[in-house]
Amino acid sequence: MKALVIIRLKDGILDPQGEAVRQAVRALDKAKVSNVRIGKIIEIEFDGVDKGSAEASVKAMCDKLLANPVTEDYQIVDIS
Amino acid sequence: MKLAVIRFPGSNCDHDLLHALKYRLNLDVEYVWWGKKTLEGYDVALLSGGFSFGDYLRAGAIATLTPVMDAVKEFAETGKPVLGICNGFQILTEARLLPGALLHNSSMKFICEDVKVKVETTNSPFTSALSKGEVLTLPIAHMEGRYVADEVTMKRLEVEDRVLLRYCGKDGQSDEKTNPNGSMGHIAGVLSEKRNVAGLMPHPERACDMLLGGEDGIKFFKSMVGLAKG
């Protein structure tokens, strides 16, 4: 069983890393890129658990450690 | 009166902090290991700078899951003073003992320089020996020092007089030019609701000897001498 979690900076929080990349990709292909935001993908593997308990466990991990609710939102995109 | 300097794997200002408190301020201070489950026998808990657990995931995040942090939470709940410096500040925000968060500097650069900070409140165990509006010169050395909080929290910090220190110029004025890392409200340090937990990004322990460029750190730590006597 593998879970995939995406962590994003909340809207409105300055992302200087994304801003630096935005400027770079604009220079790269002159595309009209208006915004770049950089987040994290976390893959978590489980042994011998059902989907329900894996999901509950990932949610608890996100709430307690993987995401900071002050600045980040998380989304469990897949568990399979 | 005994002070605890809490050390995590990756702490690297623990020696400076212990040295400053022990030899420059003559306080009774000891190291406490991160695996310790209690802070019994200590009167002040200090979290030093560094890169606890490599600062993986987010600066200070992993340290919050250690046994000693459960002890620190309990310690703070009883109203005892807890001070976090740099990585210690990051750990205290991650542990929700302080509001807000510390993100990458807006310049995306590691900043290591002397800055000026203004004492915004003396109503705390850590600044009671200072004067309101006093400007101190202290070094900063961080990658993630940009203080961020939501609008409601920012308002509460101001209204409740919980901004401890603010980045400023030599005359005490704060603006974009005197803000080294993009912190909201030019905030360099904050206090908890009960005012017994504080965090700051500057390193007073690195400014306790003229040989190292300044002694304003001694001024900062003087309030703790008061605590020791009190």
Side-chain angles (χ1 to χ4, degrees):
Chain A
M1 186 80 62
K2 194 185 216 177
L4 193 67
V5 182
I6 293 186
I7 316 248
R8 291 186 174 89
L9 266 185
K10 280 185 196 287
D11 287 345
I13 289 187
L14 174 71
D15 177 8
Q17 191 177 199
E19 177 55 21
V21 171
R22 184 189 69 85
Q23 290 178 20
V25 291
R26 275 174 74 106
L28 187 71
D29 71 353
K30 312 236 178 327
K32 287 183 179 163
V33 176
S34 59
N35 197 12
V36 174
R37 309 279 286 171
I38 296 179
K40 291 175 191 143
I41 290 183
I42 303 179
E43 288 179 352
I44 304 153
E45 288 182 39
F46 292 87
D47 279 333
V49 293
D50 60 53
K51 193 172 172 174
S53 55
E55 192 161 3
S57 169
V58 171
K59 196 173 177 310
M61 285 179 209
C62 288
D63 290 334
K64 278 192 177 154
L65 177 70
L66 301 182
N68 181 337
V70 177
T71 54
E72 296 170 324
D73 292 319
Y74 70 86
Q75 190 186 355
I76 303 167
V77 285
D78 186 45
I79 298 188
S80 55
Chain B
M1 164 98 184
K2 197 178 270 187
L3 298 88
V5 169
I6 294 161
R7 328 165 81 171
F8 299 94
S11 294
N12 66 6
C13 300
D14 42 350
H15 284 267
D16 306 51
L17 187 55
L18 185 123
H19 179 91
L21 297 172
K22 193 170 189 169
Y23 299 107
R24 304 296 292 161
L25 288 127
N26 299 315
L27 296 171
D28 184 9
V29 53
E30 284 174 0
Y31 293 126
V32 169
W33 177 56
W34 62 276
K36 206 152 185 271
K37 292 186 177 129
T38 171
L39 287 172
E40 220 182 303
Y42 294 100
D43 304 287
V44 179
L46 302 140
L47 283 79
S48 78
F51 301 86
S52 55
F53 294 90
D55 274 353
Y56 296 130
L57 193 66
R58 295 179 308 278
I62 294 174
T64 61
L65 299 181
T66 54
V68 81
M69 282 311 293
D70 290 337
V72 168
K73 278 180 201 165
E74 213 173 281
F75 192 82
E77 271 164 27
T78 62
K80 289 187 175 165
V82 177
L83 178 69
I85 299 170
C86 197
N87 195 225
F89 184 12
Q90 294 162 340
I91 295 168
L92 292 174
T93 59
E94 283 287 346
R96 313 276 176 269
L97 287 171
L98 288 173
L102 293 143
L103 298 186
H104 272 92
N105 300 335
S106 53
S107 63
M108 283 304 280
K109 286 182 183 140
F110 188 97
I111 308 169
C112 183
E113 64 186 24
D114 281 350
V115 295
K116 304 252 185 276
V117 287
K118 185 165 65 171
V119 178
E120 289 287 348
T121 182
T122 54
N123 181 13
S124 88
F126 312 100
T127 51
S128 55
L130 293 161
S131 315
K132 192 175 159 74
E134 192 171 348
V135 175
L136 303 175
T137 303
L138 297 173
I140 54 168
H142 60 242
M143 183 74 193
E144 288 105 347
R146 173 170 49 108
Y147 188 77
V148 170
D150 61 52
E151 214 173 302
V152 175
T153 306
M154 288 299 292
K155 206 168 200 174
R156 280 191 62 191
L157 289 176
E158 299 291 347
V159 171
E160 295 168 9
D161 189 31
R162 285 164 53 198
V163 177
L164 189 75
L165 299 172
R166 211 185 297 270
Y167 299 112
C168 67
K170 62 177 175 2
D171 303 319
Q173 82 292 353
S174 293
D175 56 37
E176 296 307 315
K177 281 183 199 153
T178 62
N179 184 336
N181 53 23
S183 287
M184 291 174 81
H186 315 294
I187 285 174
V190 294
L191 282 168
S192 66
E193 213 171 324
K194 282 178 13 194
R195 313 189 80 82
N196 63 314
V197 182
L200 72 160
M201 286 315 293
H203 287 275
E205 79 282 8
R206 292 191 192 178
C208 288
D209 202 311
M210 282 319 288
L211 197 65
L212 298 177
E215 289 191 336
D216 279 6
I218 292 182
K219 276 194 206 167
F220 181 82
F221 287 131
K222 275 274 162 68
S223 306
M224 287 212 260
V225 179
L227 286 180
K229 282 179 187 155

